[in-house]
Amino acid sequence: MCGIVAYIGPGEAYPVLIKGLKRLEYRGYDSAGIALMNGTMNIYKQQGKVADLENYLTDKPVNGNIGMGHTRWATHGVPNNVNAHPHLSQSGDLAVIHNGIIENYATLKEGMVLRGHTFESDTDTEVLIHLIEDVMQHTNLSLQDAVRAALKQVVGAYAIVIMSKNHPEHLIAARKGSPLVVGIGNSKGEYYLASDATPIIEYTRQVIYLNDGEIAVIENSELTVKNIENQIQVPYIHELEMNLEQLEKGGYPHFMLKEIYEQPKSILDSFRGRIDPATGEIHMRSIYEYEEKLRNIKRLMLIGCGTSWHAGLVGEYLFEEYARIPVEVEYASEFRYRDPVIYGDDLIIAISQSGETADTLAAMELAKQKGATVFGVCNVVGSSIPRLSHAGAYTHAGPEIGVASTKAFTAQVTVLALMAIAVAKIKGTMRNDRIRQLMLELESIPAKVEKALLLNDQILEISERFKDARNFLYLGRGYNFPVALEGALKLKEISYIHAEGYPAAEMKHGPIALIDEEMPVVVIATNSAHYEKVISNIQEVKARKGQIIAVVTEGDTKVKEIADYVIEVPETEESLSPLINTIPLQLLSYHIAVMRGCNVDQPRNLAKSVTVE
Ligand code: AGP
């Protein structure tokens, strides 16, 4: 996710851009850049935060009443000055800023290289602006028509703004799958463009939310909105009511809640462009560069900390079911200090949202020294863990600001499922029809997560009932044992209530002594091979007067008869059920923490990334 902002009007563009980029930094903060038009087009861009760009510009000419800015969350190409936006066309006449992912950029790029285009960056965005100019040169279309024609060739998501040296009084913007807001300024011909309303609200409350497929053209002080078929649209003008602080959270009271609700999109973005249910093909280039290695691995070790370690536990079930290889899951901090036995045909996968966790980094270095192949699953492009990995795959969850990890967890599980399928294909341990079935089910997950999020009001009521509990127990079996651990971690780290996750069967070996009428027990009892056993565990808790909060599959009748609270979630494959079942547990921990007056986004004693040992 990146942040884009643009201005055209009688005023100076630079102050609007730099302030707007600071407001959008929550959307991405690894590099930033601006383009300013004042007789010519000046492009300035820097790796680092917006403040670094601002410092760089202190002695540069930044006048001009037309401009655009971008703060990056890298998806293609590591964070550096070259990959920062804006990007220029072959001639340097056109400049673009972009939020989104051009999935077919490699194919488009190949065609243009054959037609003599040369590229400076590794980004998908640079390919787009070259394509637009290529279309102009081969068709004599106007700029805006060339933009439309080029976008018809694009597969993926975009919110873009384009400037042209040869059309200095123009701004052209378009969106599909990524948000773009047009602010209508108070002066004639004054317009603001941004990824959301936060850079706009202090100047105007009149905004237009562009729809997918629409293109906004501002020329000669007039705004025209058209659709991709060049038909003029009559956009609805909204009156903004929220205050600025709320808007930076997209209208949510906390980043954590916003990120919980972003999961339909973050899960989609994590598998988008990587699966083809029609053929069963997986598109994970870096994995297949190690195909021979993967064909012969004898053991997989998944390492991580906290939530990432929980994702690794789900990964253990995924890889053992799909790829039939033995898996060990290790706390990175334990792994690195015990002089582990590592063989050359071991594969290590390091899992990390931030890519900077000290223990995970140290564990990877140790594994590499001992000759293992090390992959990374990470959410921050260009962070230390991907740079240390032989290969890997990014989760495309977008920046996760809330200290409690939510969308990163489901994105990690999604990517681990894809990797497990990829290894299964290489080792021939899964039939293609089964792979296609899993891919089709994965495509249904975003909608099922949307549905699970509709449970919010019911979970609010349950939260009210248990917000003063002093202890919680979370129980799950199989794929949902790690979900029980994750649910317990969420609750304790933001509400400060003691909570423990256990394999449901393990309860009899001690924790059952804790059960009394004061003890809420969250049990994940969705359809699975363990269903009947979990029901027995619920009955054991009930026999000791424990309060049961059960997560069940929609339509369940058995658990309803014995549980105190039943949360019904959509059915899915057992191996993908962590993606759904974790949602109510995230909401439960969030609402209890809010009711207890805790600082949900920045819980006491915690940091978003533990870069110390
Ligand atoms: C999860 O909610 C916590 N914030 C914490 O356990 C986190 O998962 C852990 O510190 C690992 O961080 P990483 O994924 O960035 O490596």
Side-chain angles (χ1 to χ4, degrees), residues 42 44 72 124 144 204 214 292 391 555 591:
N42 289 324
Y44 306 110
R72 187 169 183 238
D124 53 341
Q144 62 173 280
T204 177
E214 289 186 338
E292 270 324 294
H591 288 305

Side-chain angles (χ1 to χ4, degrees), residues 350-369:
I351 305 165
S352 174
Q353 189 285 133
S354 62
E356 300 298 346
T357 300
D359 282 326
T360 309
L361 272 168
M364 290 173 73
E365 279 155 358
L366 177 64
K368 283 181 80 171
Q369 287 162 17

Side-chain angles (χ1 to χ4, degrees), residues 304-310 351-358 360 377-378 380 385 400 402-406 408 412 486 489-490 493-494 606-610:
C305 302
T307 290
S308 295
W309 183 75
H310 295 153
I351 305 165
S352 174
Q353 189 285 133
S354 62
E356 300 298 346
T357 300
T360 309
V377 172
C378 186
V380 181
I385 284 175
E400 187 177 69
V403 166
S405 190
T406 50
Q412 288 166 345
E486 175 61 10
L489 174 62
K490 287 290 93 55
E493 69 174 326
I494 63 172
L606 286 175
K608 182 58 186 170
S609 177
V610 182

Side-chain angles (χ1 to χ4, degrees), residues 280-443:
E281 282 308 302
I282 283 252
H283 305 298
M284 298 183 92
R285 178 177 46 80
S286 64
I287 305 291
Y288 282 105
E289 284 169 1
Y290 282 80
E291 185 163 352
E292 270 324 294
K293 175 77 188 171
L294 293 172
R295 194 184 312 283
N296 301 307
I297 56 169
K298 298 289 183 299
R299 179 176 62 160
L300 168 64
M301 301 176 93
L302 300 169
I303 57 175
C305 302
T307 290
S308 295
W309 183 75
H310 295 153
L313 286 172
V314 178
E316 177 176 21
Y317 288 92
L318 287 164
F319 276 92
E320 292 206 347
E321 178 187 342
Y322 294 176
R324 305 307 298 156
I325 46 176
V327 180
E328 292 175 23
V329 184
E330 300 271 359
Y331 279 117
S333 54
E334 288 298 304
F335 178 88
R336 64 178 291 200
Y337 289 117
R338 71 153 200 277
D339 188 18
V341 176
I342 301 285
Y343 299 111
D345 54 9
D346 283 341
L347 173 66
I348 310 277
I349 300 181
I351 305 165
S352 174
Q353 189 285 133
S354 62
E356 300 298 346
T357 300
D359 282 326
T360 309
L361 272 168
M364 290 173 73
E365 279 155 358
L366 177 64
K368 283 181 80 171
Q369 287 162 17
K370 289 176 176 275
T373 301
V374 180
F375 283 9
V377 172
C378 186
N379 195 41
V380 181
V381 175
S383 56
S384 302
I385 284 175
R387 285 206 302 270
L388 193 62
S389 306
H390 289 109
Y394 284 114
T395 51
H396 292 306
E400 187 177 69
I401 311 298
V403 166
S405 190
T406 50
K407 64 176 183 174
F409 172 71
T410 48
Q412 288 166 345
V413 170
T414 301
V415 169
L416 288 168
L418 298 183
M419 293 172 92
I421 292 171
V423 175
K425 285 176 74 73
I426 291 168
K427 294 175 73 73
T429 52
M430 280 176 87
R431 291 163 42 95
N432 205 47
D433 56 349
R434 171 66 179 139
I435 288 174
R436 292 179 54 220
Q437 180 188 39
L438 279 173
M439 289 180 175
L440 281 171
E441 183 57 27
L442 189 55
E443 281 193 331

Side-chain angles (χ1 to χ4, degrees), residues 111-126:
M112 278 181 281
V113 166
L114 291 174
R115 291 199 293 278
H117 286 250
T118 54
F119 294 88
E120 288 181 8
S121 79
D122 301 323
T123 66
D124 53 341
T125 304
E126 189 184 11

